[in-house]
Amino acid sequence: MSVRFALCLTVLLLTSCASLPPPVPVTALEEASAPPISPSRLGQITSWWGDGRAPTALVNTGFVAVAPAAGGLDIRDFSGATGQSLPAGSLTDIDVAALAVENSYVVVVGGTERSSGRTRIVLFRLDSSDNQPMRRWGEIVTDLSEPRGFCMRQIDPGISVVVFDRRGEARHLSITEDPQGGLVSREVQRFRINRPGAGCAIVTGENHLYVGHARRGFWRYSLNPQVTSPPRLMGQSGPPSIPRSISVSVLSTLPHSYLASLDHDRAALSLWRIERDDLRWLGRVAVRDGPGGPRVESLGSLDAYGGELEGFPGGVVVVHGRVGGAPPALKFVDWSAALLALGIETRRGGPSVEPRLIPVPVPGDP
């Protein structure tokens, strides 16, 4: 055995054996813990937190979209009841965004399917202007290999979508609607991600994409095609055993923006604060099922929202996991409680919302 090989092997063994920092416990709200999703393997989740004024019930009150590993897309209310089950293949990642249309908007849920070793984007839409159910809107065939990450956000004049494969090949697309209500997709740019991990998130105000690195931290890319600055590797500081991310969501609470990421051991979440030129790791939190209850384990996915909601004045994090041998279920955690558990004070006066919807003028409004 060569000295070089022995040194490499030692480094790998030390890295794999290094223990992760211990998490602090936070409690999922009992009244907001939804019934089990299914007995199947864990899939992906994303959530829409309601408009409060739209005619469509689900757009108005909000929903959680669940993509079970067995395939399909389930639309559930926050009590866990299934409103719709839409046919689809096994969606490897899903996200939600709003799309402004004439005098109204639609809520779009998108995800990636494996199709003969390739990545295909599937999109569903829920119109806010009527009370029709969610429907399949269309699909986009890409030249990418098997999917690795997918995220989207409303960035005027449409929805910005980023999808990348296991090789790190990435495509940035813009999604809009044609005059007949059909799906229009336009490629904005393409780039390559070095050593990509799983999961990504788009920060609207910064117009930045955050992608988990395979080893440590996150890549940050500009989604402005006119900006030619190289990607920045962020979140390198902190303990030597910072966990890798396998799912990530972004939210804002005064005076900062944050990333919430699912750790690779699927036992806890990491919280990160977005700073001007870096990403600061704040610590890990483990979710418990009610006060003094057991830990929620085998976490499969997460989503987060920084706006003020009933029962969640500081925002909410949704996780998808198991308690003991029970089937997987959704658990809802007060974001303020997660920050306080880590000793981080939040500013009084309410949250600053990471926008999911650009307001659309309605005839008759001033």
Side-chain angles (χ1 to χ4, degrees), residues 3-360:
V3 173
R4 183 178 179 183
F5 179 77
L7 287 174
C8 292
L9 180 60
T10 301
V11 170
L12 288 173
L13 289 174
L14 289 174
T15 302
S16 63
C17 294
S19 59
L20 296 176
V24 298
V26 294
T27 301
L29 298 191
E30 286 186 297
E31 64 273 18
S33 294
I37 291 175
S38 76
S40 65
R41 291 188 299 115
L42 298 175
Q44 299 293 318
I45 62 172
T46 190
S47 55
W48 171 261
W49 291 96
D51 172 83
R53 56 185 175 86
T56 307
L58 280 174
V59 176
N60 185 48
T61 61
F63 60 85
V64 178
V66 181
L73 183 72
D74 293 341
I75 306 300
R76 292 175 171 254
D77 63 25
F78 293 122
S79 70
T82 300
Q84 277 186 268
S85 292
L86 296 111
S90 179
L91 301 174
T92 57
D93 208 352
I94 58 175
D95 205 354
V96 65
L99 172 65
V101 296
E102 187 177 1
N103 298 330
S104 185
Y105 69 94
V106 298
V107 177
V108 179
V109 175
T112 48
E113 284 183 340
R114 291 187 184 94
S115 177
S116 301
R118 297 283 183 175
T119 294
R120 178 171 57 193
I121 301 171
V122 182
L123 297 167
F124 305 83
R125 65 179 283 166
L126 182 65
D127 291 66
S128 67
S129 58
D130 55 42
N131 207 24
Q132 296 299 310
M134 183 172 288
R135 60 182 174 85
R136 188 168 176 132
W137 190 20
E139 61 183 53
I140 303 168
V141 178
T142 76
D143 60 348
L144 300 175
S145 65
E146 290 199 7
R148 181 71 169 175
F150 172 85
C151 52
M152 59 186 192
R153 208 73 164 182
Q154 182 182 6
I155 297 179
D156 196 36
I159 295 176
S160 278
V161 173
V162 174
V163 58
F164 59 95
D165 62 19
R166 295 184 180 277
R167 303 170 301 171
E169 291 292 335
R171 304 290 181 263
H172 174 201
L173 310 174
S174 176
I175 302 298
T176 54
E177 180 188 71
D178 66 22
Q180 290 73 42
L183 170 65
V184 177
S185 170
R186 177 178 63 88
E187 183 175 303
V188 178
Q189 58 181 329
R190 53 177 60 194
F191 52 93
R192 185 175 179 84
I193 302 168
N194 182 29
R195 303 188 72 181
C200 64
I202 298 172
V203 180
T204 307
E206 300 180 356
N207 209 10
H208 281 152
L209 168 74
Y210 290 84
V211 179
H213 187 271
R215 281 291 184 185
R216 185 181 178 91
F218 291 81
W219 288 111
R220 187 184 72 182
Y221 288 82
S222 173
L223 292 184
N224 186 343
Q226 282 72 47
V227 175
T228 58
S229 59
R232 185 180 182 90
L233 188 55
M234 306 178 73
Q236 296 294 291
S237 59
S241 55
I242 288 179
R244 302 188 308 275
S245 168
I246 58 174
S247 180
V248 61
S249 187
V250 62
L251 71 169
S252 296
T253 303
L254 284 172
H256 299 292
S257 293
Y258 299 87
L259 296 182
S261 65
L262 175 58
D263 296 342
H264 66 270
D265 64 354
R266 298 186 180 273
L269 314 175
S270 278
L271 305 184
W272 310 74
R273 185 168 64 222
I274 299 174
E275 300 182 345
R276 183 171 184 176
D277 293 316
D278 201 3
L279 195 62
R280 184 180 297 275
W281 184 79
L282 303 176
R284 307 176 76 209
V285 295
V287 180
R288 295 198 172 274
D289 189 32
R295 180 184 292 190
V296 181
E297 300 175 330
S298 301
L299 300 175
S301 185
L302 67 81
D303 197 17
Y305 180 66
E308 183 174 1
L309 300 163
E310 183 178 355
F312 302 98
V316 62
V317 177
V318 189
V319 295
H320 180 201
R322 301 178 186 272
V323 178
L330 299 173
K331 304 294 179 181
F332 299 78
V333 177
D334 185 349
W335 174 248
S336 297
L339 293 180
L340 291 173
L342 293 172
I344 301 167
E345 294 184 1
T346 58
R347 179 181 295 178
R348 296 181 182 273
S352 171
V353 178
E354 169 66 20
R356 286 201 171 180
L357 172 67
I358 298 173
V360 181

